Amino acid sequence: MSSSKRPPDLKDETRSIHTGRGGADHFGVVNTPVYRASTILHPTLESLEANAMPFSYGRRGTPIHRSLEETITALEGGARTVLCNSGLNASALAIMSVCNAGDHLLMVDSVYGPTRNFCDRMLKRFGVETEYFDPSLKGDIAELFRPNTKAVYCESPGSLTFEIQDIPAIAAAAHSKNISVLLDNTWGTPIFFKAIQHGVDLSIQAATKYICGHADVMLGYVTANHSHAKRLSETHGDAGFYVSGDDAFLALRGIRTLPVRLARHYENALRVAQWLQTQSAIEKVLYPPLPSDSGHAIWARDFTGACGLMGVELQADINLSALFNSLKLFGIGYSWGGFESLIVPAHLEQRNTPFSSKGPLIRLHIGLEDSSDLINDLDMALKSAMGTL
Ligand SMILES: *Cc1c(COP(=O)(O)O)cnc(C)c1O
C-alpha cells in the first residue's frame, strides 16, 4: 500500500490524495475498488483454522474499508478508525466503548439532539447516568467530576448554538482523573481541528456531512488514540457495526476533495456571515471566525479554519415563513456538509443552560455556490420577511 512509502510530514491536502490507495494490489487502478463480500474462501482447512487470509469476513471489512480507515486515521492523527453506519451511530459507539453500568457521563448541553435522546433513553436503560453541563465550562468542569465519572463528551462548536469549548483545558482536567474525553468534531472536521492532538481520546465524525460531501450517503466514524484503540475496535466488532463497501467508496471519493471543498465553504461562509452582520433584520451571527463571536479567541487558538455552518439570530418581528419560502437557492431541510446551501429553524427545547435570544434562531449551511448569488438570495428573502419588499 502507498502508505508505507508516505513521508510523515505531508500536508493534509497531499495526504487526502495519496493515502489509502492500493494501486499495486488492484492492477494499477487509481481508486481501491468495491469488493462485494460476505464469505472469504480459504484454500485449505489449515488456512481457515489459522485465519490466514488478509480479510476474514465481510462484516469485518474489505480492502475499500481498510483504504478509507487508513486515510481517516492519517488525517485525524490517531491510532485506529472504525466505520459506522451514521454519525449518530458513531456517537453511540464511542460512548458504549467507554461507559459501563453504574458510570456517570458528563455531556455538553449544546449537543446534537439525537445524541441526547440516545443518552436519555438507551444509556439510561443500561444504567449509565448522563449529566448535562454548561458549554462554557473549561478546566472548572472538574467541579462536576464524581468518583464514577467515566467520560466527558464535547461538541465544539455546539449544534445550533455554536459555543466553542476549551477542549485542551477540559482534556487536562479529565485526564488528571483518568476520565476519557469524547468529541463530536463534525463542524471542525479532521482538517480544521486536530482533535487527538488537542487531547481528545475518541474523535467522532458524522461523515454524512463534509467527508461524503454530496448529500447522498449516511456514514460515521470514530478515531481513537493509542490508549482507546483496542476497546473501541473490540466494541465495534462485538456490536456488529458495518458499512457497505459502496458507501465507504463514496466517503473515500469525498475525502479526495475534502480540503478544497472546505476551503471554499469557509471563504463563502465568512463572506455571507460578514454581510449578514450588517443587515438590520439580523440580531447576531453565531460563527466563531467573526471577531464578535464569543468563541472567537479559542477558535483562533485551536482551529485552522471553519466550515460552512452558522447560526443566525433574527429580529423578533421577522416573518419566518416569508424568509424561508422566498429563498430560491437555500434548500429547506436537515443535515449539512453537502455542496448545496440549506436553511432550518433551530429548536432549543431540550437545552437546560439558558440561551438568550431576542428573536428566532435559524441555522444556515453555506454551500459551494457563488457567494454573491447567495447574498442576493438572502437579501431578497430578508426584505420580504421584514415587509420591505
Ligand atoms: C448530523 C449530525 C450528527 C449525526 O449524523 P448522522 O449521519 O445524520 O447520523 C451528529 N453530530 C452532529 C453535530 C451532526 O450535525
Side-chain angles (χ1 to χ4, degrees):
M1 291 249 172
S2 57
S3 63
S4 57
K5 291 186 288 179
R6 170 165 45 85
D9 57 347
L10 292 177
K11 303 283 189 295
D12 284 345
E13 286 76 2
T14 313
R15 253 185 231 278
S16 67
I17 302 290
H18 284 277
T19 313
R21 286 172 37 191
D25 305 329
H26 307 293
F27 310 100
V29 169
V30 170
N31 294 292
T32 306
V34 174
Y35 288 82
R36 295 184 173 278
S38 54
T39 300
I40 308 289
L41 296 173
H42 289 260
T44 60
L45 170 65
E46 290 70 25
S47 166
L48 183 124
E49 297 286 16
N51 198 14
M53 298 294 278
F55 296 93
S56 61
Y57 185 49
R59 173 163 28 79
R60 305 311 298 261
T62 66
I64 187 64
H65 298 96
R66 293 293 171 273
S67 289
L68 177 59
E69 291 159 4
E70 180 193 347
T71 307
I72 293 168
T73 302
L75 291 173
E76 290 274 353
R80 176 89 166 87
T81 297
V82 296
L83 304 175
C84 300
N85 48 291
S86 68
L88 178 57
N89 189 279
S91 296
L93 170 65
I95 295 169
M96 290 191 293
S97 79
V98 292
C99 288
N100 304 314
D103 284 345
H104 173 238
L105 169 69
L106 282 169
M107 170 63 71
V108 68
D109 196 21
S110 53
V111 72
Y112 177 66
T115 302
R116 195 173 186 117
N117 295 337
F118 169 77
C119 295
D120 294 347
R121 297 205 280 257
M122 190 125 131
L123 267 192
K124 191 172 172 204
R125 283 204 288 117
F126 287 90
V128 177
E129 184 192 349
T130 304
E131 179 181 346
Y132 293 93
F133 67 91
D134 184 328
S136 68
L137 293 189
K138 301 179 178 189
D140 49 351
I141 192 166
E143 289 161 26
L144 301 178
F145 292 165
R146 303 181 195 168
N148 64 337
T149 303
K150 188 54 75 68
V152 179
Y153 185 113
C154 302
E155 189 181 308
S156 176
S159 266
L160 307 177
T161 43
F162 294 90
E163 301 93 336
I164 290 278
Q165 294 189 259
D166 193 337
I167 301 296
I170 290 172
H175 290 157
S176 75
K177 297 281 181 207
N178 231 356
I179 295 169
S180 299
V181 179
L182 283 53
L183 172 73
D184 181 332
N185 191 33
T186 303
W187 191 93
T189 77
I191 304 300
F192 290 148
F193 183 72
K194 296 295 180 187
I196 289 177
Q197 264 177 35
H198 284 90
V200 169
D201 297 302
L202 293 175
S203 172
I204 300 156
Q205 183 77 202
T208 304
K209 311 287 165 56
Y210 288 110
I211 303 292
C212 294
H214 293 72
D216 52 7
V217 183
M218 301 299 302
L219 200 87
Y221 70 76
V222 186
T223 301
N225 61 9
H226 279 285
S227 64
H228 286 63
K230 184 165 180 287
R231 185 72 178 271
L232 174 70
S233 169
E234 195 177 271
T235 310
H236 179 267
D238 289 349
F241 284 84
Y242 172 73
V243 164
S244 84
D246 298 274
D247 288 347
F249 181 91
L250 288 170
L252 191 51
R253 166 178 284 209
I255 287 180
R256 303 302 181 208
T257 59
L258 179 65
V260 283
R261 282 187 288 110
L262 280 172
R264 178 62 178 264
H265 281 290
Y266 180 22
E267 184 187 321
N268 277 1
L270 192 57
R271 229 191 120 209
V272 170
Q274 284 164 344
W275 177 82
L276 283 169
Q277 275 195 311
T278 65
Q279 300 304 300
S280 59
I282 307 297
E283 181 67 30
K284 198 195 243 178
V285 181
L286 309 176
Y287 191 53
L290 296 174
S292 59
D293 191 273
S294 62
H296 181 74
I298 295 176
W299 171 82
R301 184 192 69 189
D302 294 348
F303 289 66
T304 55
C307 72
L309 197 74
M310 67 184 74
V312 183
E313 282 179 46
L314 301 159
Q315 295 290 357
D317 55 353
I318 200 156
N319 179 337
L320 220 47
S321 292
L323 170 65
F324 276 61
N325 300 341
S326 30
L327 285 164
K328 301 278 186 284
L329 299 178
F330 284 78
I332 303 171
Y334 290 109
S335 201
W336 47 282
F339 50 77
E340 81 290 17
S341 292
L342 295 168
I343 183 169
V344 283
H347 295 293
L348 305 181
E349 291 84 3
Q350 288 182 304
R351 185 184 166 101
N352 304 324
T353 312
F355 181 83
S356 72
S357 167
K358 288 198 186 126
L361 183 65
I362 60 167
R363 191 184 73 188
L364 293 181
H365 178 250
I366 305 304
L368 301 174
E369 299 94 335
D370 180 274
S371 56
S372 308
D373 287 339
L374 295 177
I375 287 171
N376 289 338
D377 198 33
L378 288 166
D379 188 33
M380 174 273 304
L382 285 171
K383 281 179 176 138
S384 101
M386 295 299 280
T388 53
L389 195 80

